[in-house]
Amino acid sequence: GQNIDQPTEMTATEGAIVQINCTYQTSGFNGLFWYQQHAGEAPTFLSYNVLDGLEEKGRFSSFLSRSKGYSYLLLKELQMKDSASYLCAVRRGGGYNKLIFGAGTRLAVHP
Amino acid sequence: GAVVSQHPSWVICKSGTSVKIECRSLDFQATTMFWYRQFPKQSLMLMATSNEGSKATYEQGVEKDKFLINHASLTLSTLTVTSAHPEDSSFYICSAPTSGRISYNEQFFGPGTRLTVL
């Protein structure tokens, strides 16, 4: 089977740093993605990890530990526009490039 | 980045009717496209994989005869919700990887179609 777990909701203050965790158990692994989704809109790509370690991309960073089945997304210098859902998705091995999504974490950024 | 469009962006229909949703890759060819469904405050659930030139592959629990998928060309996949019922009301999103290679690391999502069945 497969299971991807993320916290349901988080709150943070503008200008702060927040870490959103994701743990996964999937049949096959070929990379982990983080997407941002605003209400009523399609997800937008944030980051991709396939090897262990940290990937930094501006204010956003993502970490992966394959042995632990664990990833986190780190958001720095939070802005109000960062209020959104953050989806962790695992690409399974094999063909077709399928993504299996976690339930998402709704982040609310307050002034 | 690559662009994926969907049409219509929203649709309201009566129970028992069929609704067709189009997904187009505008600036690249997509031999594979994916269809997802998202209920309010829930994550994306993969429904099926659309394959150009062959039959779609459906995820467990998704009815093939209810959700008809046709990948007519390298830039177009359609999802038809047949005999729609209120419980089919949802946000339907398609996506496409920009390369057929397994190693490619990004999918692009369409803007989604909000279906409401009365």
Side-chain angles (χ1 to χ4, degrees), chain A residues 33 42 91 96-98 102, chain B residues 34 38 43 59 104-105 107 110:
Chain A
F33 295 74
R91 183 169 65 189
Y96 294 133
N97 210 13
K98 284 185 183 180
Chain B
F34 300 95
Q38 186 176 35
S43 192
E59 295 299 303
Y104 194 80
N105 60 7
Q107 284 188 28

Side-chain angles (χ1 to χ4, degrees), chain A residues 8-9 11 30 33 37-38 48 56-57 60 99:
Chain A
T8 304
E9 294 182 345
T11 59
N30 192 21
F33 295 74
Q37 186 181 26
H38 287 98
Y48 166 73
E56 297 187 81
K57 201 174 181 181
F60 293 13
L99 290 181

Side-chain angles (χ1 to χ4, degrees), chain A residues 50-70:
Chain A
V50 67
L51 300 176
D52 290 353
L54 187 68
E55 294 284 340
E56 297 187 81
K57 201 174 181 181
R59 293 190 300 117
F60 293 13
S61 302
S62 58
F63 172 83
L64 175 67
S65 169
R66 289 173 298 171
S67 62
K68 296 181 180 179
Y70 168 69

Side-chain angles (χ1 to χ4, degrees), chain A residues 79-96:
Chain A
Q79 303 174 9
M80 298 298 289
K81 67 178 182 179
D82 296 329
S83 293
S85 286
Y86 291 86
L87 309 177
C88 172
V90 172
R91 183 169 65 189
R92 299 193 306 212
Y96 294 133

Side-chain angles (χ1 to χ4, degrees), chain A residues 2 30 33 35 37 40-45 48 87 91-92 94-104 106, chain B residues 32 34 36 38 41-44 46 49 51 57 59 91 93 97 102-107 109-112 114:
Chain A
Q2 46 214 10
N30 192 21
F33 295 74
Y35 284 86
Q37 186 181 26
E41 298 180 11
T44 55
F45 172 79
Y48 166 73
L87 309 177
R91 183 169 65 189
R92 299 193 306 212
Y96 294 133
N97 210 13
K98 284 185 183 180
L99 290 181
I100 305 301
F101 282 84
R106 288 192 298 278
Chain B
T32 302
F34 300 95
Y36 294 86
Q38 186 176 35
K41 296 189 177 182
Q42 295 185 26
S43 192
L44 281 73
L46 179 64
T49 303
N51 307 302
T57 306
E59 295 299 303
F91 192 47
I93 307 176
I102 296 172
S103 61
Y104 194 80
N105 60 7
E106 187 169 352
Q107 284 188 28
F109 285 83
R114 173 84 50 200

Side-chain angles (χ1 to χ4, degrees), chain B residues 45-70:
Chain B
M45 295 299 296
L46 179 64
M47 298 176 67
T49 303
S50 175
N51 307 302
E52 191 272 334
S54 63
K55 291 182 180 180
T57 306
Y58 291 81
E59 295 299 303
Q60 191 172 9
V62 178
E63 299 176 57
K64 300 179 183 181
D65 295 332
K66 181 168 181 65
F67 298 100
L68 301 179
I69 291 172
N70 181 27

